[in-house]
Amino acid sequence: MHFSVKVPGADQAGILEVKSPYSGDVVGTVASVDSAGVEQALNTSFSLYQKRNQWLPAARRAAILERMATLMEQRAEQLIAAAVAEGGKPYRDTQAELMRAIDGVKNCRECLRSESGREVPMQLNAASAGRLAFTHREPIGPVVAISAFNHPLNLIVHQIGPAIAAGCPVIVKPAEKTPLSAFLLVDLLREAGLPEAWCQPLVTENLTVAEALATDSRVAFLSFIGSAEVGWRLRSKLAPGTRCALEHGGAAPVIVADDADLDAMLPLLLKGAFYHAGQVCVSVQRIFAQRPIARDLAERLAHGAGELRVGDPANADTDVGPLIRPEAVERIDAWVNQALEAGADCLTGGKRMSEVLYPPTVLFDPDTASRVSREEIFGPVVCIYPYDTLDEAISRANDTPFAFQAAVMTRDIDTALYAYHHLQASSVMLNDHTAFRVDWMPFAGLKQSGYGVGGIPYTFREMQNEKMLVFHSAALR
């Protein structure tokens, strides 16, 4: 299957070849745009927003989103095939991602019914006598969405779906490794009835042009999902008044007490650590296990990891596919070797399988100064550390520049609540893995892990202004 994409209404600057991360074969091509193409897209979005009498009514937006969900269901295999081909996530996991994305579109539609303004109390004193006040939500303005490669269907839905529901024109720049899914989704939106100008997908010819897109003064809201280095730099360069949400990564910790039900917890840890080859911003990376059970847990986890099938993501029985690029395999291999040289015990994996495949790897007690202990590895590697006291485990779990989702596994309510209270995290999962998520819950990185709150209803609110109207009338006295 081969996909070829042009950018409607814009002159192309070049052609980007999209390659399979597994085979290296070209699976599609996308036309890129230069600064002139970006200027055209920004001008289109800004002009559209300025014409308030041409804003899309809420009923029309709701109908478009409803038809979009239906079209995604009907074209499921095409969307899955494109995402597997360009992103390398195994078929079963991509199928699950698509189901989430469809539900996400429905969630965006539901926001139009469930999210609204509010009454502001008046007539409480002499100054507010004879007054009635309420707020109404309006679209914030042009949105620029810059996305990541690891969930090419669901992340795009999380960025453009709320923008469309909120009534904002949106420009979406998918990751250059996985642009096909985004263009297919936008095609479906247009088939569902969205005028072309309201959602413009594009790929820029270089990072300089992408930065100019994000930092232009006409952008009202920047939605960025990607590396912390790029995200924080873009935020520092945003035009005055531009709001933003940044979603970066972390080194997610799990604390496992010696009373935890390991039979029930092991499948969760395996899934949380090795889903999409660990290329998930809240993937299980650091497990702090109470000393009496630490080695047993590590060995049982290693046994499970060793049974996972690694290979072609298009095969229905593959559990772990390729890394997105060969450079990622080289980096992961270097970090693991550093940990081994510093005394870590490798219980399974630890050696690259090919230029693009790295096996599920379990390291026991790596040095706390190792990169696998302090930085986001973004690969299929999990580390287990013995601990003696809960305070020790919490201190070590918190000792990174990241704070996103964390987990604690225990049958004791006091242990659970103590860990919840003291862990530096935006969400703490009890007896679940750190990568658990449903798309209507808040999803937020703290410290260097991000800025703002994700989750479809929260993004929907962020992409709107709350505007107040105050009535002053003698009839209200």
Side-chain angles (χ1 to χ4, degrees), residues 16 72 100 177 179 212 241 243 260 273 305 349 383 387 400 460:
L16 172 69
M72 290 172 69
R100 278 185 63 188
K177 293 292 183 183
R243 299 183 200 169
C383 305
Y387 76 85
T400 72
F460 176 77

Side-chain angles (χ1 to χ4, degrees), residues 150-202:
N150 52 337
H151 307 294
L153 295 167
N154 201 43
L155 291 184
I156 296 296
V157 164
H158 269 256
Q159 293 176 292
I160 67 175
I164 293 163
C168 297
V170 56
I171 301 169
V172 57
K173 192 198 88 63
E176 64 176 21
K177 293 292 183 183
T178 56
L180 303 175
S181 298
F183 279 86
L184 287 172
L185 287 172
V186 174
D187 282 346
L188 292 185
L189 272 171
R190 292 169 174 174
E191 187 175 338
L194 185 73
E196 283 191 4
W198 283 90
C199 186
Q200 301 176 84
L202 56 82

Side-chain angles (χ1 to χ4, degrees), residues 24-302:
D25 295 338
V26 176
V27 296
T29 56
V30 177
S32 63
V33 301
D34 55 16
S35 56
V38 163
E39 171 61 27
Q40 180 177 324
L42 285 166
N43 186 58
T44 296
S45 283
F46 186 72
S47 298
L48 200 62
Y49 179 72
Q50 293 296 103
K51 299 172 183 176
R52 292 189 170 226
N53 60 342
Q54 295 183 22
W55 285 1
L56 297 177
R60 186 175 176 188
R61 285 177 263 143
I64 289 167
L65 291 167
E66 186 172 2
R67 286 194 293 270
M68 172 67 171
T70 300
L71 288 171
M72 290 172 69
E73 291 170 347
Q74 293 172 351
R75 312 286 169 78
E77 288 304 318
Q78 180 190 23
L79 292 169
I80 292 169
V84 170
E86 66 179 350
K89 183 184 293 182
Y91 179 92
R92 286 177 300 178
D93 292 333
T94 302
Q95 187 178 46
E97 180 188 339
L98 176 62
M99 294 303 103
R100 278 185 63 188
I102 292 169
D103 189 63
V105 171
K106 295 176 181 178
N107 196 346
C108 291
R109 182 187 181 281
E110 289 166 5
C111 286
L112 287 164
R113 290 182 175 177
S114 61
E115 301 291 330
S116 62
R118 59 193 175 90
E119 183 180 352
V120 179
M122 292 287 162
Q123 305 193 60
L124 299 178
N125 57 13
S128 61
R131 288 170 174 82
L132 173 69
F134 62 84
T135 65
H136 170 75
R137 290 181 180 171
E138 292 186 345
I140 191 173
V143 170
V144 166
I146 298 178
S147 203
F149 76 85
N150 52 337
H151 307 294
L153 295 167
N154 201 43
L155 291 184
I156 296 296
V157 164
H158 269 256
Q159 293 176 292
I160 67 175
I164 293 163
C168 297
V170 56
I171 301 169
V172 57
K173 192 198 88 63
E176 64 176 21
K177 293 292 183 183
T178 56
L180 303 175
S181 298
F183 279 86
L184 287 172
L185 287 172
V186 174
D187 282 346
L188 292 185
L189 272 171
R190 292 169 174 174
E191 187 175 338
L194 185 73
E196 283 191 4
W198 283 90
C199 186
Q200 301 176 84
L202 56 82
V203 174
T204 58
E205 65 176 351
N206 56 48
L207 294 178
T208 300
V209 175
E211 183 174 301
L213 168 66
T215 58
D216 191 272
S217 62
R218 289 164 288 188
V219 178
F221 191 90
L222 171 68
S223 170
F224 175 86
I225 303 175
S227 74
E229 177 186 0
V230 175
W232 292 118
R233 185 178 73 246
L234 286 178
R235 180 173 178 258
S236 72
K237 296 183 177 183
L238 292 180
T242 301
R243 299 183 200 169
C244 73
L246 311 177
E247 185 183 310
H248 302 147
V254 180
I255 295 175
V256 184
D258 60 7
D259 66 347
D261 182 350
L262 295 188
D263 290 336
M265 297 302 105
L266 277 165
L268 298 171
L269 291 172
L270 282 168
K271 187 65 175 179
F274 302 120
Y275 170 77
H276 195 17
Q279 298 172 115
V280 179
C281 60
V282 286
S283 176
V284 172
Q285 181 173 331
R286 300 176 298 142
I287 301 173
F288 300 91
Q290 206 157 1
R291 193 170 297 277
I293 63 164
R295 186 74 189 194
D296 179 51
L297 171 63
E299 290 176 352
R300 292 174 68 178
L301 191 63

